[in-house]
Amino acid sequence: MGLNVIMMGPPGAGKGTQAGRFARERGLLKISTGDILREAIKEQNEVALAAKAGMDRGELVDDATMITIVRDRLLRPDAAAGFVLDGFPRTVVQARALDEIMEERDNGPLIVIDVVVPEEELVRRLASRRICSKCGANADPFGAAVTCGKCGGELVQRTDDNSDVVLERLKVYQRATHPVLEFYRERPTFRVVNGAQAPERVAHEMDTLIEDAAAAGVAMKASAERSV
Ligand SMILES: [Zn+2]
């Protein structure tokens, strides 16, 4: 049975890092919407190429496009063991479509992890976030390195990361994802992880809650089948 996880959480909560770690440890496909779009564009996928043309004109990628690309990716054989999705669904329309894709896959429950961090802590983290001046990679927020681990470039503070900009980004995130969180919140497979801890503690809590949610999801499906 597949281990299917979606990661929710504001910028600065560390969800991308945790998503990557969890996928690596469990041999799952990690899918972030940016990566999946780039991959589809490389494969000359028509829908993705149209989306890229739109993005080049400054447009956002619409729900239908995102759903088509994610569906195509999740139904491939290398996603059979499960996946960790980062950055999708962003809207309730996408969340409903994901439920349909999950039925089509028929391979384990959908586990929803919300990584929560208090706003003051997010502002503090984002305002001190450093990126590589050469390749743009994010520096380890807990590390003391002065050069990029990937290319050796100099690490600099992100220029858009002053508190006002950070607060505005957090507001935009909350407005956009609040309905999606409400869409999932009452499910037995929804779990909240405290992201305001050291990364290894977040990892431990997240792993425990995912196991717990997976068991709840299996029980839910079994009881639904009995009542049919
Ligand atoms: Zn670099």
Side-chain angles (χ1 to χ4, degrees):
M1 198 186 55
L3 198 50
N4 315 304
V5 181
I6 56 182
M7 300 284 295
M8 307 282 294
K15 84 181 148 80
T17 309
Q18 293 293 343
R21 174 200 60 83
F22 188 78
R24 243 184 347 265
E25 286 176 8
R26 305 295 174 106
L28 307 174
L29 184 69
K30 190 216 166 201
I31 304 174
S32 76
T33 42
D35 292 345
I36 201 179
L37 261 174
R38 275 189 288 278
E39 187 185 284
I41 289 165
K42 231 195 245 164
E43 291 172 353
Q44 301 286 307
N45 174 303
E46 274 178 41
V47 177
L49 288 174
K52 185 183 183 295
M55 283 188 291
D56 290 344
R57 291 191 299 268
E59 295 162 15
L60 291 171
V61 182
D62 60 272
D63 281 342
T65 299
M66 226 38 252
I67 290 163
T68 303
I69 291 169
V70 169
R71 179 177 177 279
D72 172 68
R73 197 66 196 83
L74 292 185
L75 295 178
R76 289 193 207 175
D78 65 347
F83 56 81
V84 183
L85 254 180
D86 177 11
F88 184 94
R90 279 279 164 82
T91 65
V92 173
V93 172
Q94 291 178 2
R96 287 191 207 284
L98 182 58
D99 277 348
E100 282 168 22
I101 296 168
M102 293 306 292
E103 270 184 39
E104 210 173 329
R105 276 171 55 91
D106 191 25
N107 183 18
L110 183 67
I111 296 160
V112 183
I113 297 296
D114 185 22
V115 183
V116 172
V117 175
E119 195 173 81
E120 318 83 76
E121 171 68 9
L122 288 174
V123 171
R124 199 186 60 74
R125 285 185 189 179
L126 290 168
S128 59
R129 184 145 83 173
R130 296 171 307 154
I131 59 165
C132 172
S133 57
K134 253 186 173 166
C135 75
N138 286 312
D140 172 7
F142 299 94
V146 289
T147 53
C148 173
K150 282 188 181 150
C151 76
E154 190 195 350
L155 297 176
V156 295
Q157 176 141 0
R158 283 180 53 144
T159 47
D160 63 345
D161 277 355
N162 64 58
S163 310
D164 286 348
V165 177
V166 166
L167 275 173
E168 185 52 34
R169 271 170 67 203
L170 291 176
K171 274 204 202 88
V172 168
Y173 169 83
Q174 254 150 12
R175 260 198 305 273
T177 51
H178 180 76
V180 180
L181 284 171
E182 293 313 302
F183 180 80
Y184 287 126
R185 198 175 292 282
E186 299 303 320
R187 295 191 181 184
T189 52
F190 179 87
R191 294 289 182 283
V192 173
V193 170
N194 173 13
Q197 319 177 69
E200 59 275 14
R201 299 199 122 210
V202 177
H204 182 256
E205 185 177 319
M206 181 176 134
D207 292 7
T208 309
L209 291 174
I210 287 176
E211 299 296 342
D212 186 46
V218 171
M220 181 175 72
K221 186 157 197 279
S223 87
E225 276 164 5
R226 272 197 304 276
S227 64
V228 170

